[in-house]
Amino acid sequence: MFTRVCLGSVVASIVLSLSACSGGGDSSAAVTPPVPPQVALSLAAQVGKQMFFDATLSGSGKMSCATCHDPKSAYGPPNNLAVQLGGPTLTALGNRAVPSLRYKENTPAYADLLDNPDGISVPGPGGGFTWDGRANSLADQAKIPLLDPREMANTSPANVVTKVQASAYAALFKQAFGSNAFADTNAAFNNAVAALQAFQLEDVSFHPYNSKFDLYAGNKIGGTLTAAETRGLKLFSDPATANCASCHYQGAGLNGSSALFTDFSYEAISVPRNPGIPDNNNPAYFDMGICGPIRTDHLPTSAGAPNTFCGMFKAPTLRNVATRTAFFHNGVMHSLEQVIQFYNTRDTMPEIWYPTVGGVAKTVNDPTFPTFGLIKTQYVGGTVQKYNDLPSAYLTNIDTQMPLDGRAAGSAPPMSDQNVADLICFLKTLNDDFVPSKTPPTSGACVN
Ligand code: HEC
Ligand code: HEC
């Protein structure tokens, strides 16, 4: 027997502690990575697997789902581009960052008033797929990239069905959906996207639950968090500092496994505008998430008309987030340090996140001017364009909870640089395919 010490005794008030105990067992024993069980794929899921990797299902003939959702990158983008290139000649830039497809299996359909899984927060926008929740199922979602002229760029559902019918897995498709499966184009298209959904739901590679955190939460060998990771976990759930858990935590995943690290909720946190996205060349264009213009069922009745949904994007799962190199719906940030420092200093140092107009650029920045911000040049005078990617009519939609509590510019931020480093260490424990080392390191980053 080993002693079980639940973090709940240490961390006040925290949801995370409910299931999470420190990893136990004999840490000197030889350890192997947990192998998640794979149940046999249904025929539909087998078709979906073929489709997922099939580049002939695109206008270019060169792009599959896996081009943007690379299994080697936790089904996220394989590069650090904010948005990917697609379309018939693979030269069209998209308008949003590619999310990971892992851990989507429990996502409820979108609702304006979804009960928050924490049972404390009032119901609000939640659920659904994509950054704005406009697809209610993985099957509905798959129609979007197949037909988007800037992504896989097929010209119609019939165009997709013709390609499936010509593929090596056409016979498998008939086995799965009936010998007449290609007779009705609409039915065949719906079955094709259902197959993609089945693959994502059934294949264990989309939800392996084999991160260090999972070992920790399951009290398994190799799951002992280091001092730095433990501090990061506490901060993650501490309402007085980082408070990440209030939007990025949800108790149970599949079959009682550990947390999903999203509560499926939507908030407006005012990520800076990304000038690298071609749509943003139009100064009147704003990607406002739930209220459009990409999503079209919550549009303001006229430009600037009251609408509480404008600026809201989905709080994504943070599982595998440390494998990414482009962050937020517009991919404008490129490191976890940058993301967390944005949460920390959006209000206290807006000048390092949003452009300044007027004023005079310094030839040399002060030594105290941070290097992690998006803005690399320090200004004297001028006006910071804070919240520059949301029309002023909607600034009241911006969330005001910690750590984005609207404190005054120039005041102390909620987190220290050490806190930021500890949070990054904790987030790294959410990466899948963790291989515990036989002898855990005693020095180096994320240890002490
Ligand atoms: C050109 C790159 C690209 C290709 C190819 C692509 N996707 Fe995506 N995918 C994206 C982007 C960008 C988003 C976010 C879209 C948005 O928020 O509007 C996304 C979102 C998703 C989501 C929603 C995830 C979430 O967190 O809600 C799913 C599921 C998905 N894609 C599945 C697929 C499937 C299945 C295919 C193949 C049929 C595919 N994608 C092809 C870029 C791509
Ligand atoms: C008020 C709710 C809220 C809080 C608190 C919060 N987040 Fe977020 N988080 C969001 C939303 C919403 C997004 C997506 C915003 C967007 O893209 O416009 C997001 C996005 C992210 C991303 C980008 C993920 C990706 O795939 O691109 C990371 C990383 C992240 N949050 C980490 C954290 C950390 C760490 C904390 C605590 C310091 C935290 N968040 C606190 C709501 C929140």
Side-chain angles (χ1 to χ4, degrees):
M1 276 293 288
F2 47 84
T3 325
R4 292 173 66 94
V5 183
C6 280
L7 206 70
S9 55
V10 194
V11 180
S13 84
I14 273 327
V15 278
L16 276 176
S17 57
L18 295 177
S19 62
C21 298
S22 66
D26 176 0
S27 61
S28 65
V31 279
T32 47
V35 180
Q38 171 67 66
V39 288
L41 295 182
S42 65
L43 287 171
Q46 290 174 42
V47 171
K49 184 173 185 174
Q50 301 282 332
M51 289 181 65
F52 194 89
F53 296 96
D54 184 357
T56 70
L57 297 183
S58 60
S60 63
K62 292 179 181 150
M63 172 167 259
S64 70
C65 307
T67 307
C68 296
H69 300 285
D70 185 350
K72 290 199 280 299
S73 303
Y75 290 101
N79 54 41
N80 69 353
L81 297 179
V83 295
Q84 302 296 317
L85 288 159
T89 54
L90 297 185
T91 50
L93 278 172
N95 45 22
R96 288 189 180 160
V98 180
S100 164
L101 300 188
R102 284 207 174 145
Y103 304 104
K104 306 287 156 158
E105 72 279 4
N106 287 346
T107 307
Y110 175 85
D112 286 345
L113 291 175
L114 192 76
D115 283 334
N116 195 290
D118 69 10
I120 305 165
S121 312
V122 291
F129 298 95
T130 80
W131 287 101
D132 56 31
R134 70 191 184 285
N136 265 337
S137 66
L138 289 167
D140 274 351
Q141 197 289 326
K143 296 176 182 174
I144 299 174
L146 284 168
L147 300 175
D148 188 324
R150 293 193 276 194
E151 296 187 330
M152 294 169 81
N154 292 293
T155 50
S156 64
N159 187 210
V160 176
V161 171
T162 305
K163 291 171 182 176
V164 173
Q165 199 165 5
S167 74
Y169 50 89
L172 188 62
F173 192 90
K174 285 193 199 168
Q175 243 181 300
F177 300 110
S179 50
N180 276 335
F182 291 110
D184 175 335
T185 303
N186 279 339
F189 186 61
N190 286 333
N191 282 334
V193 294
L196 283 163
Q197 167 168 297
F199 172 51
Q200 294 172 72
L201 290 179
E202 292 177 31
D203 198 280
V204 73
S205 65
F206 289 93
H207 28 73
Y209 293 98
N210 61 357
S211 66
K212 182 172 190 182
F213 178 82
D214 292 306
L215 293 180
Y216 162 76
N219 203 30
K220 303 249 176 62
I221 290 171
T224 305
L225 299 186
T226 66
E229 291 160 353
T230 305
R231 288 194 303 272
L233 167 57
K234 279 197 225 171
L235 286 160
F236 188 85
S237 9
D238 178 7
T241 48
N243 196 33
C244 318
S246 76
C247 305
H248 291 287
Y249 178 78
Q250 206 261 355
L254 260 192
N255 305 326
S257 57
S258 59
L260 289 175
F261 292 93
T262 175
D263 62 7
F264 312 117
S265 65
Y266 290 73
E267 290 86 19
I269 64 170
S270 200
V271 169
R273 191 172 177 88
N274 186 350
I277 294 179
D279 289 351
N280 287 339
N281 292 338
N282 173 1
Y285 177 86
F286 293 95
D287 182 354
M288 297 186 289
I290 299 178
C291 98
I294 298 174
R295 181 171 179 162
T296 53
D297 60 353
H298 287 66
L299 295 172
T301 48
S302 60
N307 184 314
T308 56
F309 297 100
C310 292
M312 285 189 164
F313 291 89
K314 183 165 64 180
T317 177
L318 297 184
R319 282 180 173 271
N320 297 299
V321 78
T323 65
R324 296 180 67 83
T325 46
F327 300 90
F328 291 130
H329 69 275
N330 60 8
V332 73
M333 306 226 178
H334 290 283
S335 72
L336 275 180
E337 185 197 17
Q338 209 166 34
V339 170
I340 299 175
Q341 287 290 8
F342 171 72
Y343 279 104
N344 199 27
T345 64
R346 181 197 71 184
D347 297 328
T348 60
M349 276 190 281
E351 69 275 17
I352 66 170
W353 302 110
Y354 304 97
T356 295
V357 294
V360 179
K362 284 198 159 194
T363 38
V364 182
N365 293 343
D366 292 348
T368 51
F369 191 76
T371 52
F372 51 69
L374 289 173
I375 305 296
K376 303 296 182 194
T377 306
Q378 190 176 13
Y379 277 77
V380 181
T383 310
V384 180
Q385 307 293 290
K386 197 177 176 190
Y387 308 138
N388 69 339
D389 209 19
L390 193 60
S392 54
Y394 302 121
L395 298 187
T396 49
N397 293 348
I398 294 173
D399 205 273
T400 53
Q401 58 183 302
M402 284 291 280
L404 301 167
D405 61 349
R407 63 185 64 196
S411 59
M415 294 177 254
S416 67
D417 288 351
Q418 181 67 50
N419 290 164
V420 173
D422 290 342
L423 271 172
I424 293 172
C425 290
F426 171 64
L427 290 176
K428 287 181 177 167
T429 72
L430 305 180
N431 286 355
D432 286 325
D433 305 323
F434 171 67
V435 183
S437 57
K438 274 187 193 170
T439 45
T442 53
S443 63
C446 293
V447 175
N448 296 309

